[in-house]
């Protein structure tokens, strides 16, 4: 039996192949955006257009962070999470963490700073905030020279807090790198599950500096306007979920939200519950680990 690779190697010589008129029609509905999904069983999955590609990766992955927004984003779901329900877009969300997105169907306020869902006590059982923080990263898989970008979505549980040994929540990780004169796009970053946490939590740490070839690839991918989309879209949008709520939901002082672990396990973020009050990111840690790593590599040269 022949395959496409064999056929392509035997295409008749011509100056230029014709452009297909059917490529878009066979692509099907939904989005073809790629993302890395996190799961409560401690694995990472590659998702393209809402479908898993390849086998799940256990425990940890190494990535190169190509792009991210300057500020942490936000998401709000007014209704409780329903594992049997149809995935929907959030009621309200903000990519810049300051104003609701124009596409949000149920905006809660004109600005995030004045929003009643951004007040301590608005969450489940009067705890935390109903509107949750979120980070979306555009990443490359370490060792993949194709330049295919994936979206990695980081929930609030994995954003803030203190370091644990050599690992950090993401915002603290960025501050740690900055305090050592580095940035997320200069190194390979290891993303790993915190096995001691009660709910799904990710930690981050540096692995190594980029090779010259990886640096060139990062610059090329960063310059592609398409890359920016991976830092802005919700997971639902990335999977082609465009369903709106059937009706506007009244703003409730204590809207139900779903647990972080449940959200991350689903193919799209639906509803959230059990939020905890956010902990401000600590001041940059003057950790000697990265500096030591730099010195070691300098000695090898």
């Amino acid at each position: 039996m022949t395959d496409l690779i064999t056929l392509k190697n035997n295409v008749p010589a011509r100056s230029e192949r014709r452009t297909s008129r059917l490529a878009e029609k066979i692509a099907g509905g939904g989005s073809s955006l790629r993302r890395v999904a996190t799961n409560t069983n401690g694995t990472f999955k590659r998702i393209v257009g809402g479908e898993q590609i390849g086998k799940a990766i256990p425990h940890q992955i190494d990535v190169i962070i190509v792009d991210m927004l300057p500020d942490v984003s936000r998401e709000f779901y007014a209704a409780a999470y329903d594992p049997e329900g149809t995935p929907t877009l959030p009621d309200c969300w903000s990519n810049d963490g300051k104003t609701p997105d124009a596409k949000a169907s149920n905006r809660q306020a004109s600005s995030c700073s004045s929003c009643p869902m951004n007040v301590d006590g608005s969450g489940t059982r009067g705890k935390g905030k109903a509107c949750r923080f979120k980070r979306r990263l555009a990443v490359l898989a370490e060792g993949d020279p194709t330049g295919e970008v994936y979206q990695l979505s980081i929930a609030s549980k994995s954003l803030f807090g203190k370091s644990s040994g050599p690992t950090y929540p993401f915002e603290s990780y960025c501050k740690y790198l900055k305090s050592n004169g580095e940035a997320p796009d200069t190194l390979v970053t290891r993303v790993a599950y915190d096995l001691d946490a009660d709910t799904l939590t990710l930690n981050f740490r540096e692995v190594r500096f980029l090779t010259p070839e990886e640096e060139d690839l990062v610059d090329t991918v960063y310059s592609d306007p398409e890359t920016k989309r991976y830092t802005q879209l919700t997971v639902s949008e990335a999977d082609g979920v465009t369903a709106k709520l059937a009706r506007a939901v009244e703003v409730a002082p204590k809207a139900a939200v779903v647990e972080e672990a449940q959200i991350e396990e689903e193919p799209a973020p639906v509803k959230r519950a059990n939020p905890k009050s956010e902990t401000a990111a600590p001041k940059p840690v003057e950790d000697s680990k990265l500096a030591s790593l730099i010195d070691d590599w300098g000695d090898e040269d």
Side-chain angles (χ1 to χ4, degrees):
M1 179 182 293
T2 60
D3 56 28
L4 280 176
I5 295 178
T6 302
L7 291 176
K8 286 183 177 181
N9 289 336
N10 292 281
V11 171
R14 68 185 95 178
S15 59
E16 184 178 348
R17 286 194 66 193
R18 64 177 282 273
T19 301
S20 170
R21 300 178 185 275
L22 298 180
E24 293 184 1
K25 292 185 178 181
I26 67 172
S31 169
S32 61
L33 292 182
R34 297 172 293 273
R35 71 180 180 92
V36 175
T38 53
N39 303 277
T40 52
N41 63 358
T43 64
F44 298 90
K45 295 180 181 179
R46 292 184 301 155
I47 306 294
V48 178
E51 299 294 332
Q52 181 178 338
I53 304 298
K55 294 183 178 180
I57 304 170
H59 310 315
Q60 64 185 36
I61 56 171
D62 290 345
V63 302
I64 301 171
I65 299 171
V66 178
D67 202 1
M68 56 190 252
L69 294 177
D71 299 299
V72 181
S73 302
R74 292 175 176 271
E75 280 185 3
F76 167 71
Y77 287 93
Y81 172 75
D82 179 4
E84 303 299 326
T86 301
T88 68
L89 295 176
D91 289 76
C92 187
W93 73 90
S94 171
N95 280 317
D96 62 10
K98 296 179 176 65
T99 57
D101 193 277
K103 293 179 291 184
S105 63
N106 188 18
R107 292 187 288 276
Q108 301 294 295
S110 59
S111 69
C112 296
S113 61
S114 63
C115 181
M117 298 299 102
N118 186 32
V119 176
D120 281 333
S122 61
T124 303
R125 295 185 295 277
K127 297 180 179 180
K129 300 178 181 181
C131 186
R132 307 294 288 169
F133 289 107
K134 199 82 166 183
R135 264 284 188 197
R136 299 178 187 88
L137 309 179
V139 304
L140 300 173
E142 190 233 2
D144 181 3
T146 64
E148 288 190 337
V149 180
Y150 288 83
Q151 181 191 80
L152 176 60
S153 184
I154 308 173
S156 58
K157 184 75 174 179
S158 305
L159 286 175
F160 306 105
K162 298 181 180 180
S163 64
S164 176
T167 66
Y168 297 83
F170 185 74
E171 298 301 310
S172 297
Y173 174 62
C174 290
K175 292 182 178 181
Y176 156 61
L177 293 180
K178 183 177 180 180
S179 71
N180 284 277
E182 296 298 330
D185 62 342
T186 65
L187 306 106
V188 172
T189 295
R190 177 158 297 164
V191 187
Y193 287 94
D194 184 347
L195 301 181
D196 294 323
D198 295 331
T199 58
L200 186 154
T201 306
L202 300 176
N203 283 327
F204 301 79
R205 64 175 297 177
E206 76 281 5
V207 177
R208 62 172 176 81
F209 289 106
L210 301 183
T211 65
E213 294 76 17
E214 289 170 331
E215 290 178 342
D216 291 342
L217 183 60
V218 168
D219 288 340
T220 298
V221 173
Y222 180 85
S223 300
D224 186 346
E226 185 74 6
T227 299
K228 184 64 67 178
R229 295 181 59 203
Y230 286 79
T231 69
Q232 298 174 328
L233 299 176
T234 66
V235 176
S236 299
E237 288 176 293
D239 286 347
V241 177
T242 58
K244 305 292 184 181
L245 296 179
R247 59 181 176 81
V249 181
E250 289 187 15
V251 177
K254 297 182 180 180
V257 255
V258 25
E259 182 140 355
E260 296 289 349
Q262 290 178 294
I263 283 291
E264 298 298 339
E265 187 177 25
E266 294 301 314
V270 192
K271 318 292 174 193
R272 319 186 122 208
N274 191 30
K276 297 182 179 178
S277 56
E278 307 296 348
T279 303
K283 296 181 179 179
V285 180
E286 295 297 335
D287 197 299
S288 61
K289 187 176 186 305
L290 183 61
S292 193
L293 179 61
I294 296 173
D295 291 340
D296 289 344
W297 285 349
D299 293 341
E300 290 177 359
D301 291 337

